[in-house]
Amino acid sequence: MAALALTTTPLISIGLPVFNASRHLKAAIEAHLAQTFPDFELVISDNGSTDDTVDICLAYARRDPRIRLHRSLLNRGLNWNHRQVYLLSKGPYFRWAAADDLPDNNFLACALHNLEQHPDALAIFPRAQNIDVDGTFLPTPLDTLDLSSHDPIDRIRSVLLGTYQMTYLQGLFRRSALAALPMRWNYIGYDFILLFELAIRGRCLRSDRLVLYRRLHADQATRALHTRQTMATFEPAASPYAVPHFVWAVARIRAVLRSSLPLPARLAALALTLRHAWWHKHLMCRDLYRTVASALRLTNDTPYRL
């Protein structure tokens, strides 16, 4: 597609956080430039890459004015970079992208159409199709996440009890919905809490026509969350003596308590959240054990082995 002049404020902003992503980056950028909906900006934030990532991004930015590259000389972590691309963008609709994954050519057009048809919806999530490094289809787990209900308890229950891949960040969000969230991004797993906060606040759509090709490969950071090196990739300032499942449980409880839900719904949501924490007490105990063992130098494992 030929480069198009940007409007003052593009309708859709796409945030692409990258770090040493040269292997699949060209395919990811090309998938966005091939979108049938052209009024977007692609905001790329490089997190101190040491491979060819920056050169690839610069080459595309010179070709297409919709692409903007921002660089950090230091690796500030994946969490920081996800927040950074959001803060650097300006469109009324926003989505995060990944350097490994490929949106279908009609992704933006389909997502925007659905949100415009349902003005009460906060976001729309894609249907994921897993692929390998060569683009061959892989088995994709059953996805039961459904936040389309008008009942917040149904939505919260779906987040807590459903089975799904964490690809929802690559959907399309109303900026106003994201702006209402705390947007901390200061601990590993905040995307779990962001989804929970969205479920409290309103409906989110799903569409089988909105396809995201999710690439699975051995170099993914999430494939090795137990290593200290990968922890540093996500959050360099994170304490090695953290207890993630405790953090998530407390964050969910806080989200319910500060919500604007009517009192009966808030109490029901709190009961459901506390019950979920109780069901996962073994994971909290595991966090505590690993933290103590790591502090005493009894193991090189970390609490982030999920």
Side-chain angles (χ1 to χ4, degrees):
M1 178 185 295
L4 300 178
L6 277 175
T7 58
T8 303
T9 301
L11 195 56
I12 296 176
S13 291
I14 303 163
L16 178 57
V18 295
F19 172 73
N20 288 351
S22 60
R23 185 177 184 183
H24 301 292
L25 182 57
K26 289 182 180 179
I29 294 177
E30 290 287 354
H32 287 92
L33 297 183
Q35 291 294 305
T36 58
F37 182 83
D39 188 14
F40 67 85
E41 63 172 350
L42 178 59
V43 181
I44 305 175
S45 176
D46 178 72
N47 213 4
S49 291
T50 57
D51 63 358
D52 297 331
T53 294
V54 170
D55 292 337
I56 293 171
C57 294
L58 285 173
Y60 277 101
R62 294 188 189 103
R63 285 171 43 190
D64 196 311
R66 294 174 297 178
I67 299 175
R68 292 192 284 127
L69 173 64
H70 298 261
R71 300 177 61 186
S72 170
L73 297 180
L74 299 176
N75 179 4
R76 302 187 182 185
L78 189 59
N79 288 343
W80 176 87
N81 218 11
H82 271 75
R83 189 169 186 269
Q84 181 75 350
V85 290
Y86 168 75
L87 294 176
L88 290 170
S89 66
K90 51 192 176 183
Y93 294 92
F94 179 84
R95 72 175 293 264
W96 281 278
D100 303 324
D101 303 337
L102 308 174
D104 179 80
N105 289 0
N106 291 317
F107 192 100
L108 296 182
C110 177
L112 182 62
H113 174 76
N114 275 273
L115 286 181
E116 289 181 338
Q117 292 296 310
H118 299 87
D120 64 319
L122 305 182
I124 182 168
F125 303 150
R127 173 176 67 84
Q129 170 59 62
N130 291 347
I131 58 175
D132 65 12
V133 290
D134 300 315
T136 303
F137 282 15
L138 296 173
T140 302
L142 176 68
D143 191 329
T144 65
L145 183 67
D146 183 0
L147 303 189
S148 62
S149 173
H150 291 275
D151 186 341
I153 305 305
D154 288 342
R155 299 193 300 265
I156 292 171
R157 184 179 293 109
S158 184
V159 170
L160 294 178
L161 306 182
T163 58
Y164 46 89
Q165 300 186 90
M166 292 301 287
T167 56
Y168 80 91
L169 281 181
Q170 296 192 61
L172 187 65
F173 299 82
R174 297 186 194 278
R175 178 174 293 275
S176 57
L178 292 175
L181 303 180
M183 295 293 289
R184 290 188 180 86
W185 289 112
N186 57 356
Y187 54 83
I188 292 176
Y190 176 65
D191 46 349
F192 292 109
I193 307 306
L194 191 150
L195 180 61
F196 185 80
E197 297 250 18
L198 283 172
I200 291 175
R201 284 169 166 75
R203 300 174 63 229
C204 298
L205 308 176
R206 293 292 294 269
S207 174
D208 285 341
R209 294 179 55 204
L210 201 66
V211 182
L212 176 75
Y213 298 99
R214 184 191 186 212
R215 197 185 305 274
L216 303 181
H217 57 88
D219 296 331
Q220 283 177 297
T222 51
R223 290 291 182 101
L225 268 175
H226 61 287
T227 66
R228 294 189 186 280
Q229 180 181 4
T230 307
M231 278 178 58
T233 298
F234 275 79
E235 185 55 66
S239 168
Y241 310 122
V243 281
H245 290 91
F246 275 106
V247 170
W248 299 338
V250 171
R252 291 186 183 108
I253 292 169
R254 289 177 57 191
V256 171
L257 292 178
R258 68 167 174 260
S259 72
S260 59
L261 294 174
L263 183 59
R266 199 180 314 171
L267 292 175
L270 182 61
L272 185 58
T273 305
L274 290 171
R275 194 178 309 128
H276 179 268
W278 177 253
W279 289 337
H280 291 82
K281 60 184 181 294
H282 64 289
L283 297 177
M284 299 184 195
C285 291
R286 187 185 68 178
D287 286 351
L288 185 60
Y289 167 78
R290 286 180 173 151
T291 296
V292 173
S294 182
L296 297 176
R297 309 296 183 184
L298 300 178
T299 178
N300 290 323
D301 201 0
T302 77
Y304 288 115
R305 189 181 185 113
L306 304 179

